[in-house]
Amino acid sequence: MSRALLSVLWQTGVMSAPRTARERARAELTGEIKAAARRQLETSGAESLSLRAISRELGMVSSALYRYFPSRDELLTALVIDAYDALGEAAESAAQKEYPHPREAWVAVYAAVRDWARANPHEYALIYGSPITGYQAPQTTVQPAARVPMVLLNILSQAHAEGWLPEVEAPEPSGRLAEQVDTIAPLAPGVPRPMLLRLVIAWTQLFGMISFELFGQLVGSMDPADDFFLETSRQMAKYVGIS
Amino acid sequence: MSRALLSVLWQTGVMSAPRTARERARAELTGEIKAAARRQLETSGAESLSLRAISRELGMVSSALYRYFPSRDELLTALVIDAYDALGEAAESAAQKEYPHPREAWVAVYAAVRDWARANPHEYALIYGSPITGYQAPQTTVQPAARVPMVLLNILSQAHAEGWLPEVEAPEPSGRLAEQVDTIAPLAPGVPRPMLLRLVIAWTQLFGMISFELFGQLVGSMDPADDFFLETSRQMAKYVGIS
DNA sequence: GGTTTGCGAGAGCAGTGCTCTCTGTTGTGA
DNA sequence: TCACAACAGAGAGCACTGCTCTCGCAAACC
């Protein structure tokens, strides 16, 4: 197996436990670079993330960083994936607990997503703010980005299986919209299409609400947003049929 | 009246029609700078907006730009305000038309906001994406930012006045949330508090949905988003009580 | 043990925001 | 009318950025 392939397999997380000392050092340094970048992200923002500052912090020369990340954008991509994974992790672990009612699971996931966003506002902005200029999010980010909506889908699907989804009158999607809803239908077997559509609506609402809170759009109306957020999460649970 | 004050009054739009030739030239150049900046914004993004590139385009030296905008952030602030105003303008003019039913006004405003966002994605990202690093949006942006929600409030309030708001069962906000809802209540006289709360929810949903579409978050599910957007705008109209 | 591969250092390029100083012009109050 | 103040642009310069290239050295492999 070639060195390059090994490196790819390891970087993508397919393989773990680097074998040679060099690979071990590389893994460690890659992690340290990302950690320093994340630390820098906390104080400044994404667009003022400086490779030179990172290299200074790690006591190396800036050009050496390019052995680990071919460009600033690649480093940002790595941070993006890590952020999606951290957020997905938070949502999943909130959903894994036991709840007497799916509504509470739903509300808990909402709260977990918000808490993570408030604790890591710059990382949140990195993934849900404006896309970084001239940089197309690679396909690698799609799967980790889907973790939060997957958690919501699972709650809904499980609620349906347990008979928590009563009949709610909601318009049946038609035409192309029905097709689009059908592409996600296999992920939540049994859930009626109107409720799947509403789940997408709720999903966009969730992140719109968090973005508004973090980006200061709620100042003057719903800030601080704790009560607003809690009440909204309950209403949205009902909106998608959980009651 | 001092020169500096005059300049402020003019820049903020309180005064129009500059009097002296110098002021006329200044007004024109300020506009040209913003126009060039906007042009540059279209191709690149906010964070790669370069004062030097603008000055090159206008055939002047970069330091001369600082006679008009004390810093890059100030220029961005001016662009932010212009963007809010352009978007507010679009929403307001959509709402001013005559509609047989407030639902259609609501849907039309949704569409106008989305159309503007899709036509000016970088300006949209400037105001609804991640905030620019180390730069706090000044108070001047608050009022223009409120134009879109004001349009929605007006539709709701007018719908109530015309008797289009039937009794819908929705939870009454309590505690601090009720207080917060009450701060916006005078802007939409007569509208029940539960519906005001839902309007805020719909507002956050609208921009969450548009951001998701523009920032590529809907790829793989609801992209292209035309049908999804239309259906959602209808459901949200109903959600806030318009039916 | 020789050869390939990976790694860090250093210099350098083209670009950035911003400041300071200088010269010329425009507007204004005495 | 005329001196003085305010303003405008040019140019040099500072400290910084991402990124490239070359050069030695050390680790890994055959």
Side-chain angles (χ1 to χ4, degrees):
Chain A
M1 196 178 288
S2 82
R3 226 98 214 88
L5 179 55
L6 261 178
S7 165
V8 165
L9 285 178
W10 166 74
Q11 275 200 342
T12 51
V14 173
M15 286 187 72
S16 51
R19 296 186 295 200
T20 75
R22 199 174 242 173
E23 275 171 344
R24 190 181 314 267
R26 183 181 182 86
E28 218 164 279
L29 246 174
T30 310
E32 277 178 37
I33 292 171
K34 287 203 286 184
R38 224 170 286 124
R39 226 171 299 130
Q40 202 180 310
L41 217 57
E42 279 168 30
T43 58
S44 357
E47 77 244 30
S48 66
L49 184 137
S50 153
L51 289 187
R52 293 184 115 112
I54 295 172
S55 68
R56 271 194 302 267
E57 189 177 329
L58 299 183
M60 57 199 317
V61 112
S62 76
S63 59
L65 275 186
Y66 287 82
R67 300 279 179 201
Y68 299 88
F69 295 95
S71 75
R72 200 187 91 117
D73 283 358
E74 290 289 324
L75 173 55
L76 279 174
T77 301
L79 294 178
V80 163
I81 294 175
D82 284 2
Y84 273 127
D85 275 328
L87 175 59
E89 184 74 32
E92 283 164 15
S93 82
Q96 265 171 1
K97 298 206 186 93
E98 286 287 328
Y99 297 96
H101 192 284
R103 188 197 322 109
E104 272 131 66
W106 178 276
V107 169
V109 167
Y110 264 55
V113 171
R114 175 176 181 243
D115 288 345
W116 184 90
R118 281 159 52 100
N120 309 277
H122 286 107
E123 285 187 77
Y124 178 87
L126 196 60
I127 52 182
Y128 289 106
S130 354
I132 295 118
T133 308
Y135 141 90
Q136 187 68 13
Q139 203 61 20
T140 7
T141 64
V142 171
Q143 192 215 335
R147 289 175 70 170
V148 171
M150 270 309 296
V151 169
L152 296 177
L153 273 168
N154 286 338
I155 293 177
L156 199 61
S157 146
Q158 203 173 329
H160 171 81
E162 293 169 2
W164 290 108
L165 286 194
E167 283 294 317
V168 176
E169 58 151 339
E172 182 81 28
S174 64
R176 168 175 255 173
L177 185 56
E179 288 173 29
Q180 292 175 331
V181 170
D182 281 342
T183 63
I184 59 172
L187 302 173
V191 178
R193 288 202 285 199
M195 291 302 121
L196 281 178
L197 173 59
R198 286 195 164 184
L199 184 117
V200 180
I201 296 177
W203 172 51
T204 60
Q205 194 280 327
L206 168 61
F207 286 99
M209 178 167 53
I210 294 177
S211 295
F212 266 24
E213 180 184 8
L214 286 187
F215 300 164
Q217 220 83 24
L218 293 185
V219 174
S221 54
M222 293 299 159
D223 183 71
D226 304 68
D227 297 341
F228 172 64
F229 189 91
L230 180 62
E231 172 59 22
T232 300
S233 65
R234 288 192 186 126
Q235 287 210 23
M236 285 296 117
K238 190 168 185 193
Y239 189 68
V240 299
I242 302 172
S243 65
Chain B
M1 195 177 288
S2 82
R3 225 96 215 89
L5 178 55
L6 260 178
S7 164
V8 165
L9 286 179
W10 167 72
Q11 273 199 345
T12 51
V14 172
M15 288 189 69
S16 50
R19 295 186 295 200
T20 76
R22 199 176 241 173
E23 275 170 342
R24 191 182 312 271
R26 185 182 179 83
E28 216 164 282
L29 246 173
T30 310
E32 277 178 38
I33 292 170
K34 288 204 284 185
R38 223 170 286 125
R39 227 172 298 129
Q40 202 180 310
L41 217 58
E42 279 169 29
T43 58
S44 358
E47 78 242 33
S48 67
L49 185 136
S50 154
L51 289 187
R52 293 184 116 110
I54 294 172
S55 68
R56 271 194 302 268
E57 190 178 328
L58 299 183
M60 57 198 318
V61 111
S62 75
S63 59
L65 275 185
Y66 287 81
R67 300 281 177 198
Y68 299 88
F69 295 94
S71 74
R72 201 187 90 117
D73 282 359
E74 290 288 325
L75 173 55
L76 279 173
T77 301
L79 294 178
V80 163
I81 294 175
D82 284 2
Y84 273 126
D85 275 328
L87 175 59
E89 185 74 33
E92 282 164 15
S93 82
Q96 264 171 1
K97 298 208 186 94
E98 286 286 329
Y99 298 96
H101 191 283
R103 187 197 321 110
E104 270 130 67
W106 178 276
V107 169
V109 168
Y110 264 56
V113 172
R114 174 175 181 243
D115 288 346
W116 185 90
R118 282 159 51 99
N120 309 278
H122 285 108
E123 285 187 79
Y124 177 87
L126 195 60
I127 53 183
Y128 289 107
S130 352
I132 294 116
T133 308
Y135 140 90
Q136 187 70 10
Q139 203 61 19
T140 6
T141 65
V142 172
Q143 190 213 337
R147 289 175 71 170
V148 170
M150 269 309 295
V151 169
L152 296 177
L153 273 167
N154 285 339
I155 293 177
L156 198 62
S157 148
Q158 204 173 330
H160 171 79
E162 293 169 1
W164 290 109
L165 286 194
E167 283 292 318
V168 176
E169 57 151 337
E172 183 82 27
S174 64
R176 167 174 256 174
L177 185 57
E179 289 173 29
Q180 291 175 330
V181 170
D182 281 342
T183 63
I184 59 172
L187 303 173
V191 178
R193 287 202 287 199
M195 291 302 121
L196 280 179
L197 173 58
R198 286 195 166 185
L199 184 117
V200 181
I201 297 178
W203 173 51
T204 60
Q205 195 279 327
L206 168 60
F207 286 99
M209 177 166 55
I210 293 177
S211 294
F212 266 24
E213 179 184 8
L214 286 186
F215 301 164
Q217 219 84 22
L218 292 184
V219 173
S221 55
M222 293 299 160
D223 184 71
D226 304 69
D227 296 340
F228 171 64
F229 189 90
L230 180 61
E231 173 58 23
T232 300
S233 65
R234 288 194 185 125
Q235 288 210 22
M236 285 295 117
K238 189 167 184 191
Y239 188 68
V240 299
I242 303 172
S243 63

